[in-house]
Amino acid sequence: MKKFLALGLSCVLTASLFTGCGEQKTETPAPAPAVNSEPQPIKLGTLKYLNADEKLLDENIKNSPIKHKFIIHNDIKTLKMALESGQIDEICTYKTVADYLMARDTKLEDTQHKPYYKISDKFAFAMRSEDTALKEQVDAAIDSMKNDGTLENLIKTYITDLKADEEPPAVAFETFDGAETLKIGVTGDLPPLDYVSADGKAAGFSTAVLAELGKRLQKNIEVIQIDSGTRAAALKANKIDISFWAVSTADNAILPDLDKPEGLELSSPYFQDSGVHLTLKK
């Protein structure tokens, strides 16, 4: 009888080691969360366009094999902050700008997407429609800069040969006593093209092109820093006479006349660049 009691007590102790105090209960596993088969769209940050809002941009690429949700920002600074905070997944910008940003921020990389929609813009200068004489002069100066190699040299100095540890060189404007002064709007939102240095001075490629235009037209240049979204309004209100502008080419898959300003005229293009997407390295 004692042997049976000892055996029973041993079984109880062994069971308690595995089950703990009290009766062992079998819990029903929670149901697995439903799998959403529809991929979430990539939140794509871009600078403000003059003639398009987020809804129009989304609608225009709705048949793209990769789905996007455009989120518009007013300047490059807030675009980068939105990317770093996770508010957007990618930045849509120009290749020249992307190369500049990646060279100075090792957290950024090109997504290397195969092109699912084509972006190719030409850079020009915007002026008021009534300033026909000024437009003719600017066009003639740009053409002469192309023909004599000046434009190619400026591209080399301010874009191609710009090192990662350097900022675009300062731009010197020649002055002409008694000459007309052209007020130029600069945003600084597309470095090293439209660029403002840390000390608040306009520099970069487009500013260098303007300095050369001023020299060839024998006109003084006054630089006025403005926001990207106010360029057209500033021109029409005579606050500035010329502004940098990027306009879509005819073969652009996203609205060929996307940023063409009403009531303004554009000069001959002096540069062209394609669009890329930037994201944070994983």
Side-chain angles (χ1 to χ4, degrees), residues 45 47 76 91-95 97-98 101 190 274-278:
L47 286 176
I76 194 72
I91 291 176
C92 177
T93 187
Y94 298 105
K95 185 180 185 306
V97 179
L101 294 175
L190 294 175
S274 57
V276 297
H277 291 182
L278 278 179

Side-chain angles (χ1 to χ4, degrees), residues 10 53 120 122 125 133 149 152 224 242 256 268 279:
S10 175
D53 56 13
S120 181
K122 291 182 178 180
F125 297 116
E152 184 178 349
I224 299 175
I242 294 177
S268 297
T279 190

Side-chain angles (χ1 to χ4, degrees), residues 47-204:
L47 286 176
K48 180 177 177 60
Y49 289 99
L50 180 65
N51 302 317
D53 56 13
E54 293 166 348
K55 182 179 179 181
L56 181 60
L57 292 172
D58 290 338
E59 178 67 20
N60 199 66
I61 62 163
K62 64 181 180 180
N63 295 322
S64 167
I66 300 179
K67 301 303 178 185
H68 288 94
K69 170 63 181 171
F70 277 96
I71 301 175
I72 293 176
H73 291 73
N74 289 325
D75 53 65
I76 194 72
K77 181 179 179 180
T78 56
L79 260 180
K80 286 190 66 179
M81 290 173 60
L83 181 66
E84 292 169 357
S85 65
Q87 296 177 44
I88 59 175
D89 303 310
E90 298 175 3
I91 291 176
C92 177
T93 187
Y94 298 105
K95 185 180 185 306
T96 299
V97 179
D99 289 343
Y100 173 91
L101 294 175
M102 286 189 294
R104 289 152 182 79
D105 189 341
T106 57
K107 300 190 300 294
L108 298 174
E109 65 179 355
D110 189 337
T111 61
Q112 299 295 326
H113 287 320
K114 291 182 178 179
Y116 33 82
Y117 55 81
K118 185 176 181 179
I119 298 177
S120 181
D121 285 359
K122 291 182 178 180
F123 289 80
F125 297 116
M127 292 156 278
R128 289 177 289 273
S129 298
E130 60 267 26
D131 292 339
T132 54
L134 177 60
K135 181 185 181 308
E136 291 174 0
Q137 293 170 352
V138 170
D139 286 347
I142 291 174
D143 289 342
S144 68
M145 291 170 63
K146 292 177 181 177
N147 294 332
D148 64 18
T150 300
L151 196 55
E152 184 178 349
N153 288 334
L154 291 177
I155 291 173
K156 189 173 186 295
T157 300
Y158 287 86
I159 298 175
T160 309
D161 291 350
L162 188 64
K163 294 180 175 58
D165 59 348
E166 295 177 351
E167 293 305 307
V171 176
F173 294 99
E174 292 190 28
T175 56
F176 305 94
D177 292 339
E180 178 186 3
T181 296
L182 294 176
K183 293 174 290 185
I184 311 299
V186 178
T187 69
D189 283 327
L190 294 175
L193 306 175
D194 186 344
Y195 171 82
V196 175
S197 63
D199 60 2
K201 294 181 179 179

